[in-house]
Amino acid sequence: MKNIIIVFTSALLLIACQDNDKKAKGTSSDSLVAAERAKALTDSANFTTLVWIDSTTKDLGKMNKGESLEISFRFKNTGTKNLIIESVSAQCGCTIPEKPEEPIAPGQEGIIKAKYNGSGSGTISKQIYVRANTSPSVDHTLTFRGEMQEK
């Protein structure tokens, strides 16, 4: 009976150690990404360039009031460093932006998406603010507009 308890306890310890190793590896990877982000956004030697494939202004035409829609703005990292999107925010709560979490490698493309809830009346114009490790400016403004109409 004593031997069974010893074997069982040893097995549990081995399993617990393996789980801790996996967690430690994941944590160090996460902290490396966080460190890369922090360095990329503060050190101009890590700045890159980007080109907006789609225009930074979109005219959505006539939209039905109350119908939500998704807007996408495509971009390409045209520089030599990883592109880090630090933050994406919207002018108001009617628009919920979404940013890529992973760095965009040089030559790769990415998308900034936003969901608009269809509120408002008349002509609407909404802005999305993007902050990234880009030169000559770290701040970018994306705009979409349209004419709200009753269904």
Side-chain angles (χ1 to χ4, degrees):
M1 182 69 173
K2 223 181 205 183
N3 288 340
I4 293 174
I5 292 173
I6 291 172
V7 170
F8 184 70
T9 304
S10 298
L12 283 176
L13 286 173
L14 284 173
I15 292 170
C17 288
Q18 289 175 352
D19 284 346
N20 284 340
D21 287 346
K22 289 177 186 173
K23 288 178 186 173
K25 288 178 186 173
T27 303
S28 64
S29 174
D30 293 343
S31 60
L32 287 176
V33 170
E36 180 183 8
R37 283 183 184 278
K39 186 176 179 183
L41 296 166
T42 57
D43 183 0
S44 62
N46 290 308
F47 283 12
T48 190
T49 55
L50 73 80
V51 170
W52 293 98
I53 297 169
D54 301 326
S55 173
T56 56
T57 302
K58 291 194 175 204
D59 187 349
L60 303 176
K62 293 186 187 265
M63 301 181 298
N64 291 328
K65 187 173 183 170
E67 286 185 14
S68 63
L69 55 115
E70 188 173 289
I71 303 101
S72 297
F73 294 89
R74 297 180 308 137
F75 60 88
K76 181 175 184 175
N77 180 353
T78 56
T80 59
K81 305 287 184 183
N82 280 344
L83 173 63
I84 310 287
I85 306 292
E86 176 186 11
S87 64
V88 178
S89 60
Q91 172 186 10
C92 67
C94 61
T95 304
I96 301 171
E98 183 181 309
K99 71 180 182 81
E101 292 301 324
E102 297 299 318
I104 308 297
Q108 298 298 309
E109 296 180 6
I111 299 174
I112 302 289
K113 294 180 183 177
K115 291 182 182 173
Y116 173 61
N117 70 6
S119 64
S121 60
T123 302
I124 57 116
S125 180
K126 305 295 179 182
Q127 281 75 41
I128 300 167
Y129 307 107
V130 179
R131 187 165 180 81
N133 65 323
T134 52
S135 178
S137 176
V138 296
D139 296 312
H140 305 267
T141 301
L142 308 172
T143 303
F144 66 92
R145 55 179 67 112
E147 186 70 31
M148 299 305 292
Q149 61 185 8
E150 297 294 327
K151 293 182 192 179

